[in-house]
Amino acid sequence: MATAPNKAARILVVDDDPDLRSLLTLALADEGYEVRAAPDGRVALDLLEAWPPRVILLDLMMPIMDGWAFRARQLATRGSDHIPVIVFSAAPDMRVAALRPAAVLSKPFNLDLLLATVADLAR
Amino acid sequence: MISAPYSRHPDAVPPAQAADERRYYNIAQAAALLGVSRMSIWRWIRAGRLPVARLGHRTSRIRREDLESLLAERGSATSQPRGVSDRGAVAQGPNDGDAPHADWRAMGASAHFVQFYEADATLLDAVGEYIGAGIGAGETGIVIATGAHRAGLEERLRAAGLDMDAARADGRYVALDAAETLARFMADGEPEPARFAEVVGAVVAVAAEGGRRVRAFGEMVALLAVAGEHAAAVRLEALWNGLQQVHTFSLFCAYPLDALDEDALAMAFGDICTEHAGVIPAEGYTGLADPEARLRIIAALQQKAASLEVEVAARKLAEERLRRSERELRDFFENATEGLHWVGEDGRILWANRAEYELLGYTADEYIGRPITDFHADPEVIADILRRLSAGEELHGYEARLRARDGSIKHVLINSNVYREDGRFVHTRWFTRDITERTRAAHERESLLAREQDARAVAEAALRLRDAFLSIASHELRTPIATLKGHAQVALRRLERTGQLEPERAAEALRTIARQSDKLNRLLGHLLDISRLEAGKLTLEPRPTDISALAGQVVADARARDDRHDIALAAPPRLEAEIDPLRLEQVLVNLLDNAIKYSPNGGAIEVAVSRAAADALEISVRDRGLGVPPEKRARIFERFYQAHGEGHRSGLGLGLYISGQIIELHGGEIRAVFPPDGGSRFVVRLPLALEMGRRPISRARS
C-alpha cells in the first residue's frame, strides 16, 4: 500500500454533486489531508489563488464553469499551472487526454484507488 | 388522183397492182382504197374508228379487214363521220398530190376552213388577201376579230388600194369585235344557238342581201379555244356550220398555233379539225413550195406524233409509279411510331407526322407552322439545340421536355441533323422519341429511394437517440450508486481504522445513503414509467385528493433536501380534485427539483396552487434560475431532451416528458413560460373532475 502521505497536504475537490463532495471530503480528511471543496470551476479558481492545493480532484460536468474551462484557466495561470489534476470522467477519451491530467478516474470510482492515487501525487 | 410521189417510198406500190391482195395498208394506200383523203384516214385513226397496228409515215400498218369493215360502215351509215363533208374536203391544187399546197384560194364558195398560224403577220396577210379579194369582186366581207387584228387587216386593205370608208358605208365591209360579239350570244359559258342566229345570223343575212356572196373571217372560236373553253369552241364551230346551211358564205377561222401546245388543246385540235371541212396547216408547212418537202414534213409530224404518244404513255406510267412510291413513303412517314418533323431556318415547323403532333395532343393545324420553341418547356434547352444545329452539329439522344396541349410534360430524346441541297441549308430533320414513361419510372425510383433513405435516416436518428439515452441513463444510474457505496465505504474504513464511528458521521453517512437510494429509485421509476408509457400501459389511479396538502408535503421535502434556495408555497387551505396522488406528487417533485437544479445560484422558488376556473385548478412553480434558451423552448417536453446540454446535464432528461404525459392523462395541460426577468415558470392546469380520454397537447410557450 501507499507510504505515509504528507499529512498537511491540501487537496481541492471540485464537483457539483454535493453528496460526492461530502464523500470525498470525508474520505480524504480521514486520511489526514486538509480538504476544501468547490461546487464549480469558478469557485475553484477563486480558491486556487487564496489556497493553492497540492492536488486537485476535478469533475468535468459542472454548471457555471465546467472542468475543461477550469483546466484551461489553471494552465494559463503562472502560480497554479504546475498543480497536478486527477480528472473524474464517465467516459475517458482523447478529449480528456488533451487536458493532460495526472490521472483519470472513471465514475463511479474505486475509493481505494482514488486514495492511492492522491497519495502518490501528494508526495 | 394518186400520183408519182409514192415511188419514193419503200412501201409504195402503184395502186394499179395487187391492190386487193395486200394485207396491210399504210395511210396513203388506205386512203386510195376508200377513195378518201389521207387526212380522213388520219382523222378516223385519231377518232379510234380505225384500228392501226403500227403508226408511222412509212410504216403504218392498217389491216385490210379493218378497212373493209369501215368501208361497209360508211356505205350503210346514214350520217357521215363528223366533220367530213362533201363541201370541198381538202382542196387540191394542180400537181399537188397528197401534199397539197393549201391556202384559202382553193376553198369553195361555201367552205368552212381553218388556218393555223404562228405569226400574226402571216395571218393578216392571208385574211387581207381573202377579204380584199372578196370586196374587190363585189362580195361582202365580214370580219369578226380582235381589235389589233382588225386594225392590222384594215391597214393592209387600205394599202391594197381599197376605199375602206366607202366599203363600210356600202355595207360591203362589216367589222365586229370578236369578244364583244361573243358575249352577246354566250350564256353560262356556252354559245346559245338562238341568240347566235339572232346576232351573227342577222349580220350574215344583211351582208348577203341582194344575192351578194359573203366572205367571213371569225376569231371567236379561237378566243374560246385559247381561253380553254374547248367544248364551247367546238359547239360554236358547229353553230357556224349550222348557219352555213341557212346562208351561203365562206368562213375562214384562224387559230394561233402556240395556243394549242398542251395535251387538252391537242385533243381539241383534233376536234376542231374534224369540225372543219378544210384545214390549212401553219406556215411551217404552207411556206414550203416543194410537194416532196411538204410530204416529208407530214411524215416527220406523223412520226413525232407517234413517238410522242409512246412517250406520253411511258410518262404516265412513270408518273403512276412515282405517285405510288410517294404514297407509300408518305404513308410510312405519316404512320411511323416515332415523331418526325422538319424545322425551317426561321424555327417554324414545316411538316410533322402524326406521331409527332399526337404525342403532344395537337392536331396537324395546331402544330405545323408554329415555331418549335412554342412546344419546348425549357427555353434554354431548345435555344441550345437550335444553336448547335445552326453550327452544323448532329444531335443524338438529346434530352428535352415538351409541353403537351393539356399542360403536361413529356420527356423526349431528340435526334436531329441538317438537310442541305448543294451546300445550302434547306431544313432540319428531327426524330423524337418519347421517354416519358421511362423517365417517370426513373423519377419514381429516385423518389422511392430518397424516401427510403429518409426513413432510414429517421430510424437511425432514433436509434442514436436511444443509444445516447442509454449511455446517459447508465451513467446517471451509476452515479448515486457510486455515491452511496462511497459513503458506506468511508464510514466502514473509519470504523475499521479507529475502531469506532462517531454518531454524527454515522448519521450523515446513512442519511446520504438514504437520499441517494431515493434518487436512484426515482430514476429507476422514470425508466419504468417511460417503458410503460411507450407500451401504452401507464395507468392512473385517481381519487379525491387535497392538492394543497400534497403540494405542502412536496415543498417540505424539498426544503429538507436543499438549503440554498428559498422555497415558498402559496395555497388555499384546501383544494380537492380527483387525481392520482402518487403521479401528481411525481410531477410536482420533478418541477421542484428542476427549479432547484436550474437555479444554481440560489434564489427564490415560488410554488402556487389556485382555483383557475369553476372546473379547473392551477399549480405553478417559479424559479429565478437559468431558464431555457429560446431556441430550445419548443422541445423541452420531448423525450430525452436536455435543455442545457452536456454542461449541465442532470437526470435522464425524462422528467418533463413523463410529467407532461401524466398531466395529459389527467386531461390537463402543462406549459412553460419564461418571464422577462429571468428564470422559468411551469404551470399545470388540471380539471377538478377527471374526464378520461381527453388528451390535449402540452405546449411550451416562451
Side-chain angles (χ1 to χ4, degrees):
Chain A
M1 290 315 285
T3 55
N6 180 345
K7 300 243 187 267
R10 295 172 176 176
I11 312 293
L12 175 59
V13 172
V14 188
D15 196 310
D16 62 330
D17 183 346
D19 289 332
L20 200 57
R21 275 203 305 278
S22 70
L23 171 63
L24 289 170
T25 305
L26 281 173
L28 290 167
D30 280 355
E31 296 300 308
Y33 296 105
E34 198 179 327
V35 188
R36 288 230 186 149
D40 59 61
R42 198 196 57 196
V43 173
L45 277 176
D46 293 341
L47 273 178
L48 213 53
E49 274 196 51
W51 194 83
R54 183 72 64 85
V55 178
I56 300 174
L57 262 54
L58 180 61
D59 181 27
L60 290 177
M61 305 290 199
M62 294 181 294
I64 315 291
M65 183 192 290
D66 65 18
W68 275 275
F70 167 83
R71 180 68 173 151
R73 297 283 283 277
Q74 183 216 343
L75 288 171
T77 311
R78 191 62 83 72
S80 18
D81 53 351
H82 64 282
I83 305 171
V85 166
I86 300 172
V87 166
F88 297 131
S89 170
D93 59 16
M94 293 301 296
R95 288 192 310 158
V96 175
L99 291 169
R100 288 187 278 135
V104 177
L105 293 175
S106 60
K107 276 190 184 180
F109 49 81
N110 180 320
L111 191 60
D112 293 327
L113 181 59
L114 181 132
L115 293 174
T117 312
V118 170
D120 280 344
L121 290 173
R123 224 191 331 233
Chain B
M1 300 311 292
I2 304 188
S3 63
Y6 262 120
S7 64
R8 296 280 179 124
H9 308 282
D11 290 30
V13 174
Q17 298 174 4
D20 297 323
E21 281 140 33
R22 250 191 297 244
R23 283 195 61 221
Y24 290 103
Y25 291 75
N26 63 25
I27 290 181
Q29 294 153 0
L33 186 69
L34 266 52
V36 298
S37 71
R38 294 200 317 176
M39 186 65 89
S40 299
I41 299 289
W42 183 243
R43 282 194 216 124
W44 284 328
I45 292 169
R46 285 184 61 87
R49 298 196 59 208
L50 188 60
V52 55
R54 212 174 349 154
L55 195 65
H57 165 65
R58 298 180 187 196
T59 57
S60 296
R61 288 271 184 271
I62 305 166
R63 295 188 318 164
R64 189 194 169 84
E65 305 91 88
D66 296 326
L67 283 170
E68 283 177 347
S69 59
L70 187 62
L71 198 59
E73 232 182 272
R74 281 198 74 229
S76 60
T78 51
S79 64
Q80 301 200 343
R82 186 170 69 101
V84 176
S85 73
D86 292 335
R87 288 181 297 184
V90 174
Q92 297 184 357
N95 298 321
D96 272 343
D98 299 289
H101 181 127
D103 74 11
W104 60 268
R105 269 173 277 260
M107 300 294 142
S110 119
H112 177 183
F113 56 92
V114 64
Q115 164 129 26
F116 295 94
Y117 65 93
E118 289 173 51
D120 278 8
T122 322
L123 170 72
L124 294 176
D125 288 341
V127 176
E129 281 184 32
Y130 169 71
I131 295 288
I135 295 176
E139 297 173 12
T140 309
I142 302 175
V143 171
I144 310 178
T146 63
H149 284 173
R150 290 202 313 277
L153 181 63
E154 283 166 24
E155 206 186 287
R156 279 167 177 74
L157 292 171
R158 254 193 286 272
L162 282 172
D163 185 352
M164 294 309 298
D165 299 321
R168 225 194 291 265
D170 281 348
R172 285 186 294 122
Y173 176 72
V174 182
L176 300 169
D177 182 69
E180 221 178 80
T181 311
L182 189 60
R184 285 164 62 191
F185 58 83
M186 289 290 282
D188 290 328
E190 291 286 325
E192 221 278 287
R195 279 158 68 170
F196 174 81
E198 265 176 47
V199 173
V200 180
V203 173
V204 172
V206 167
E209 256 171 18
R212 270 188 296 197
R213 284 163 68 131
V214 179
R215 294 188 183 202
F217 170 68
E219 285 195 307
M220 292 188 295
V221 182
L223 284 183
L224 285 174
V226 166
E229 306 288 339
H230 310 131
V234 172
R235 241 182 293 279
L236 183 53
E237 289 280 14
L239 289 175
W240 272 115
N241 282 348
L243 194 58
Q244 282 186 316
Q245 310 268 14
V246 178
H247 300 284
T248 302
F249 62 95
S250 77
L251 177 63
F252 182 168
C253 293
Y255 293 87
L257 206 57
D258 61 10
L260 299 173
D261 269 346
E262 294 139 23
D263 271 347
L265 276 152
M267 261 180 28
F269 186 102
D271 292 339
I272 290 163
C273 287
T274 55
E275 265 318 307
H276 285 82
V279 175
I280 303 172
E283 52 267 42
Y285 174 84
T286 57
L288 297 172
D290 175 16
E292 299 285 338
R294 292 198 291 269
L295 272 173
R296 277 198 289 278
I297 289 279
I298 292 173
L301 286 172
Q302 281 177 332
Q303 187 73 286
K304 226 185 233 176
S307 65
L308 266 173
E309 282 197 16
V310 169
E311 231 178 82
V312 164
R315 181 152 67 96
K316 281 199 162 72
L317 191 64
E319 270 177 18
E320 179 49 42
R321 283 208 198 102
L322 190 65
R323 263 197 293 277
R324 188 172 57 223
S325 157
E326 210 182 276
R327 271 200 304 276
E328 285 168 358
L329 272 173
R330 186 158 288 273
D331 169 77
F332 176 69
F333 283 128
E334 267 306 310
N335 297 304
T337 52
E338 291 225 337
L340 309 169
H341 61 291
W342 297 343
V343 175
E345 213 160 6
D346 61 352
R348 280 183 190 273
I349 298 166
L350 300 174
W351 171 83
N353 75 345
R354 212 201 316 265
E356 178 71 29
Y357 50 79
E358 282 183 358
L359 168 69
L360 301 177
Y362 287 103
T363 64
D365 295 326
E366 291 166 332
Y367 192 75
I368 297 173
R370 297 259 302 272
I372 184 77
T373 49
D374 278 4
F375 303 96
H376 276 253
D378 307 306
E380 68 279 4
V381 168
I382 182 60
D384 185 53
I385 291 174
L386 291 172
R387 205 177 14 252
R388 284 172 190 255
L389 288 171
S390 310
E393 252 184 76
E394 237 185 52
L395 302 176
H396 293 276
Y398 197 114
E399 275 196 48
R401 300 189 314 149
L402 302 179
R403 195 178 304 283
R405 197 175 200 267
D406 62 4
S408 64
I409 294 289
K410 300 276 180 189
H411 294 266
V412 295
L413 288 179
I414 293 176
N415 288 356
S416 183
N417 54 18
V418 179
Y419 167 48
R420 288 182 211 284
E421 222 169 61
D422 305 324
R424 210 178 43 85
F425 174 99
V426 181
H427 57 240
T428 47
R429 314 176 185 101
W430 299 53
F431 302 80
T432 312
R433 180 171 307 163
D434 180 14
I435 54 163
T436 307
E437 273 318 302
R438 212 209 303 169
T439 309
R440 200 199 310 279
H443 281 165
E444 262 181 43
R445 265 203 306 277
E446 270 174 35
S447 72
L448 273 173
L449 197 64
R451 272 208 296 277
E452 201 190 292
Q453 281 171 345
D454 283 345
R456 183 170 317 151
V458 165
E460 282 173 0
L463 275 172
R464 271 198 298 275
L465 193 61
R466 197 189 60 186
D467 288 346
F469 168 72
L470 284 174
S471 75
I472 291 165
S474 72
H475 177 267
E476 292 297 312
L477 289 172
R478 285 215 190 92
T479 306
I481 294 170
T483 308
L484 65 85
K485 178 181 172 185
H487 276 276
Q489 268 185 306
V490 166
L492 196 58
R493 279 168 86 97
R494 192 170 177 78
L495 186 60
E496 283 170 351
R497 198 180 295 169
T498 62
Q500 63 173 26
L501 183 63
E502 295 87 337
E504 291 154 29
R505 288 287 303 261
E508 185 57 37
L510 291 168
R511 268 198 293 274
T512 308
I513 288 164
R515 205 164 44 242
Q516 291 296 324
S517 305
D518 282 343
K519 185 172 171 189
L520 191 55
N521 198 31
R522 234 191 349 265
L523 289 174
L524 286 170
H526 279 185
L527 275 179
L528 283 172
D529 283 346
I530 253 287
S531 78
R532 276 197 216 112
L533 277 169
E534 297 287 286
K537 287 193 184 132
L538 190 80
T539 52
L540 298 179
E541 287 170 40
R543 55 180 187 272
T545 309
D546 181 2
I547 306 298
S548 297
L550 185 65
Q553 189 70 43
V554 170
V555 167
D557 287 345
R559 280 185 191 136
R561 284 200 306 274
D562 171 272
D563 56 357
R564 284 197 302 151
H565 297 85
D566 188 7
I567 307 174
L569 173 63
R574 183 178 176 81
L575 181 55
E576 206 166 275
E578 202 183 340
I579 51 102
D580 181 330
L582 270 168
R583 293 298 181 182
L584 188 60
E585 184 192 348
Q586 185 179 347
V587 172
L588 293 179
V589 166
N590 175 234
L591 294 177
L592 209 40
D593 275 354
N594 283 349
I596 292 167
K597 242 188 302 187
Y598 292 106
S599 35
N601 296 333
I605 296 174
E606 290 139 19
V607 180
V609 176
S610 63
R611 183 91 174 261
D615 58 350
L617 63 91
E618 267 189 13
I619 308 167
S620 74
V621 178
R622 161 80 153 113
D623 69 68
R624 280 177 177 69
L626 302 171
V628 173
E631 64 273 14
K632 303 200 176 184
R633 288 176 187 174
R635 303 180 63 183
I636 57 175
F637 290 99
E638 285 177 17
R639 235 175 0 164
F640 312 142
Y641 201 75
Q642 301 270 8
H644 291 275
E646 297 195 356
H648 203 143
R649 180 175 44 238
S650 189
L652 297 167
L654 293 175
L656 278 179
Y657 172 72
I658 293 172
S659 295
Q661 294 297 305
I662 289 168
I663 297 301
E664 278 189 20
L665 281 170
H666 276 90
E669 61 173 33
I670 182 169
R671 66 185 194 278
V673 293
F674 301 93
D677 57 344
S680 325
R681 183 160 166 266
F682 283 78
V683 181
V684 171
R685 192 184 171 98
L686 287 167
L688 295 179
L690 194 59
E691 289 166 34
M692 301 303 289
R694 195 158 60 93
R695 294 177 65 98
I697 301 164
S698 43
R699 292 181 284 282
R701 266 186 247 130
S702 54

Coordinates of all heavy atoms in Angstrom, one line a residue, chain A residues 41 44-45 48 56 58 60 65-87 95-102:
Chain A
G41 N -16.2 25.4 -11.3 CA -14.9 25.8 -11.7 C -14.6 27.2 -11.3 O -13.5 27.6 -11.0
A44 N -13.8 27.3 -7.7 CA -12.5 26.6 -7.6 C -11.3 27.5 -8.0 O -10.3 27.5 -7.3 CB -12.5 25.4 -8.5
L45 N -11.5 28.3 -9.0 CA -10.4 29.3 -9.4 C -10.2 30.3 -8.3 O -9.0 30.6 -8.1 CB -10.8 30.0 -10.7 CG -10.6 29.2 -12.0 CD1 -11.1 30.0 -13.2 CD2 -9.1 29.0 -12.2
L48 N -8.2 28.7 -5.7 CA -6.8 28.4 -6.2 C -5.9 29.5 -5.8 O -4.7 29.3 -5.4 CB -6.9 28.2 -7.7 CG -5.9 27.2 -8.3 CD1 -6.1 25.9 -7.7 CD2 -6.2 27.1 -9.8
I56 N -5.5 18.5 -7.2 CA -6.9 18.9 -7.5 C -7.6 17.7 -8.0 O -7.1 17.0 -8.9 CB -6.9 20.0 -8.6 CG1 -6.2 21.2 -8.1 CG2 -8.4 20.4 -8.9 CD1 -6.0 22.3 -9.1
L58 N -10.8 16.9 -10.0 CA -11.7 17.7 -10.9 C -12.7 16.9 -11.6 O -12.5 16.0 -12.4 CB -10.7 18.4 -11.9 CG -11.4 19.3 -12.9 CD1 -12.1 20.5 -12.2 CD2 -10.4 19.8 -13.9
L60 N -15.7 17.0 -14.5 CA -15.7 17.7 -15.8 C -17.1 18.4 -16.0 O -17.2 19.5 -16.4 CB -15.4 16.8 -16.9 CG -14.0 16.3 -17.0 CD1 -13.7 15.3 -18.1 CD2 -13.0 17.5 -17.1
M65 N -19.0 27.0 -14.6 CA -17.8 26.8 -15.4 C -17.4 25.3 -15.3 O -17.2 24.8 -14.1 CB -16.6 27.6 -14.9 CG -15.4 27.5 -15.7 SD -13.9 28.2 -15.0 CE -14.3 30.0 -15.1
D66 N -17.3 24.6 -16.4 CA -17.0 23.2 -16.3 C -15.5 22.9 -16.2 O -14.7 23.8 -16.1 CB -17.6 22.5 -17.5 CG -17.0 22.9 -18.8 OD1 -15.8 23.4 -18.8 OD2 -17.6 22.6 -19.8
G67 N -15.2 21.6 -16.1 CA -13.8 21.2 -15.8 C -12.8 21.6 -16.9 O -11.7 22.0 -16.6
W68 N -13.3 21.6 -18.2 CA -12.5 22.0 -19.3 C -12.0 23.4 -19.1 O -10.8 23.8 -19.3 CB -13.2 21.8 -20.6 CG -13.0 20.4 -21.1 CD1 -12.0 19.9 -21.8 CD2 -14.0 19.3 -20.9 NE1 -12.2 18.6 -22.1 CE2 -13.4 18.2 -21.6 CE3 -15.2 19.2 -20.3 CZ2 -14.1 17.0 -21.6 CZ3 -15.8 18.0 -20.3 CH2 -15.3 16.9 -21.0
A69 N -13.0 24.3 -18.9 CA -12.7 25.7 -18.8 C -11.8 26.0 -17.6 O -10.8 26.7 -17.7 CB -14.0 26.5 -18.6
F70 N -12.1 25.3 -16.5 CA -11.2 25.5 -15.3 C -9.8 25.1 -15.6 O -8.9 25.8 -15.3 CB -11.8 24.6 -14.1 CG -10.8 24.5 -13.0 CD1 -10.7 25.5 -12.1 CD2 -9.9 23.4 -12.9 CE1 -9.8 25.4 -11.0 CE2 -9.0 23.4 -11.9 CZ -8.9 24.4 -10.9
R71 N -9.6 23.9 -16.2 CA -8.3 23.4 -16.5 C -7.5 24.4 -17.4 O -6.4 24.7 -17.2 CB -8.4 22.0 -17.2 CG -7.1 21.4 -17.5 CD -6.3 21.0 -16.3 NE -5.1 20.2 -16.7 CZ -3.9 20.2 -16.0 NH1 -3.8 21.0 -14.9 NH2 -2.9 19.5 -16.4
A72 N -8.2 24.9 -18.4 CA -7.6 25.9 -19.3 C -7.1 27.1 -18.6 O -6.0 27.5 -18.8 CB -8.6 26.3 -20.4
R73 N -8.0 27.6 -17.7 CA -7.6 28.8 -16.9 C -6.4 28.5 -16.0 O -5.5 29.3 -15.8 CB -8.8 29.3 -16.1 CG -9.9 29.8 -17.0 CD -9.6 31.1 -17.6 NE -9.8 32.2 -16.6 CZ -11.0 32.7 -16.3 NH1 -12.1 32.3 -16.9 NH2 -11.1 33.6 -15.4
Q74 N -6.5 27.3 -15.4 CA -5.5 26.9 -14.5 C -4.1 26.8 -15.2 O -3.1 27.3 -14.6 CB -5.8 25.5 -13.9 CG -4.8 25.0 -12.8 CD -4.5 23.5 -12.9 OE1 -5.3 22.8 -13.5 NE2 -3.5 23.1 -12.3
L75 N -4.1 26.2 -16.4 CA -2.8 26.1 -17.1 C -2.3 27.4 -17.5 O -1.1 27.6 -17.8 CB -3.0 25.2 -18.3 CG -3.2 23.7 -17.9 CD1 -3.6 22.9 -19.2 CD2 -1.9 23.1 -17.3
A76 N -3.2 28.4 -17.7 CA -2.8 29.7 -18.1 C -2.3 30.6 -16.9 O -1.8 31.7 -17.2 CB -3.9 30.4 -18.9
T77 N -2.4 30.1 -15.8 CA -2.1 30.9 -14.6 C -0.7 30.5 -14.0 O -0.5 29.3 -13.7 CB -3.2 30.8 -13.5 OG1 -4.5 31.0 -14.1 CG2 -2.9 31.8 -12.4
R78 N 0.2 31.4 -14.0 CA 1.6 31.1 -13.6 C 1.7 30.4 -12.3 O 2.3 29.3 -12.2 CB 2.3 32.5 -13.5 CG 3.8 32.3 -13.4 CD 4.5 31.6 -14.6 NE 4.7 32.5 -15.7 CZ 5.7 33.4 -15.7 NH1 6.4 33.6 -14.7 NH2 5.9 34.2 -16.8
G79 N 1.0 30.8 -11.3 CA 1.3 30.2 -10.0 C 0.7 28.8 -9.8 O 1.0 28.1 -8.9
S80 N -0.3 28.5 -10.7 CA -1.0 27.2 -10.4 C -0.9 26.2 -11.5 O -1.4 25.1 -11.4 CB -2.5 27.5 -10.2 OG -2.9 28.8 -10.6
D81 N -0.2 26.5 -12.6 CA -0.2 25.6 -13.7 C 0.5 24.3 -13.4 O 0.4 23.3 -14.1 CB 0.4 26.2 -14.9 CG 1.8 26.8 -14.7 OD1 2.2 26.9 -13.5 OD2 2.4 27.3 -15.6
H82 N 1.3 24.2 -12.3 CA 2.1 23.0 -12.0 C 1.3 22.0 -11.2 O 1.7 20.9 -11.0 CB 3.4 23.4 -11.3 CG 3.1 24.0 -10.0 ND1 2.6 25.3 -9.8 CD2 3.1 23.5 -8.7 CE1 2.4 25.6 -8.5 NE2 2.7 24.4 -7.8
I83 N 0.1 22.4 -10.7 CA -0.6 21.6 -9.7 C -1.2 20.4 -10.5 O -1.9 20.6 -11.5 CB -1.7 22.4 -9.0 CG1 -1.1 23.6 -8.3 CG2 -2.4 21.5 -8.0 CD1 -2.1 24.5 -7.8
P84 N -0.9 19.2 -10.1 CA -1.5 18.0 -10.8 C -3.0 17.9 -10.6 O -3.5 18.2 -9.5 CB -0.7 16.8 -10.2 CG -0.3 17.3 -8.8 CD -0.1 18.8 -8.9
V85 N -3.6 17.3 -11.6 CA -5.1 17.2 -11.6 C -5.5 15.8 -11.8 O -5.0 15.1 -12.7 CB -5.7 18.1 -12.7 CG1 -7.2 17.8 -12.9 CG2 -5.6 19.6 -12.3
I86 N -6.4 15.3 -10.9 CA -7.0 14.0 -11.1 C -8.4 14.3 -11.7 O -9.2 14.9 -11.0 CB -7.1 13.2 -9.8 CG1 -5.7 12.9 -9.3 CG2 -7.8 11.9 -10.1 CD1 -5.7 12.3 -7.9
V87 N -8.7 13.8 -12.9 CA -9.9 14.1 -13.5 C -10.9 12.9 -13.3 O -10.5 11.8 -13.5 CB -9.7 14.3 -15.1 CG1 -11.0 14.3 -15.8 CG2 -9.0 15.6 -15.3
R95 N -10.3 13.6 -25.8 CA -10.5 15.0 -25.3 C -10.0 15.1 -23.8 O -9.4 16.1 -23.5 CB -12.0 15.4 -25.3 CG -12.5 15.6 -26.7 CD -13.9 16.2 -26.7 NE -14.8 15.5 -25.8 CZ -15.8 16.1 -25.2 NH1 -16.1 17.3 -25.5 NH2 -16.6 15.4 -24.4
V96 N -10.3 14.1 -23.1 CA -9.8 14.1 -21.7 C -8.3 14.1 -21.6 O -7.7 14.8 -20.8 CB -10.4 12.9 -20.9 CG1 -9.9 12.8 -19.5 CG2 -11.9 13.0 -20.9
A97 N -7.7 13.3 -22.5 CA -6.3 13.2 -22.5 C -5.7 14.5 -22.8 O -4.6 14.9 -22.4 CB -5.8 12.2 -23.5
A98 N -6.4 15.3 -23.6 CA -5.9 16.6 -24.0 C -5.8 17.6 -22.8 O -5.1 18.6 -22.9 CB -6.8 17.2 -25.1
L99 N -6.5 17.2 -21.7 CA -6.4 18.1 -20.5 C -5.1 17.9 -19.8 O -4.7 18.6 -18.9 CB -7.5 17.7 -19.6 CG -8.9 18.1 -20.0 CD1 -10.0 17.5 -19.1 CD2 -9.1 19.6 -20.0
R100 N -4.4 16.9 -20.3 CA -3.1 16.5 -19.6 C -3.2 16.3 -18.1 O -2.6 16.9 -17.3 CB -2.0 17.5 -19.9 CG -1.5 17.5 -21.4 CD -0.3 18.3 -21.6 NE -0.8 19.7 -21.9 CZ -0.1 20.8 -21.3 NH1 0.9 20.6 -20.5 NH2 -0.6 22.0 -21.6
P101 N -4.2 15.4 -17.8 CA -4.3 15.1 -16.3 C -3.2 14.2 -15.8 O -2.6 13.5 -16.5 CB -5.7 14.4 -16.3 CG -5.8 13.7 -17.6 CD -5.0 14.5 -18.6
A102 N -3.0 14.4 -14.5 CA -2.0 13.5 -13.9 C -2.6 12.1 -13.8 O -1.9 11.1 -13.8 CB -1.6 14.0 -12.5

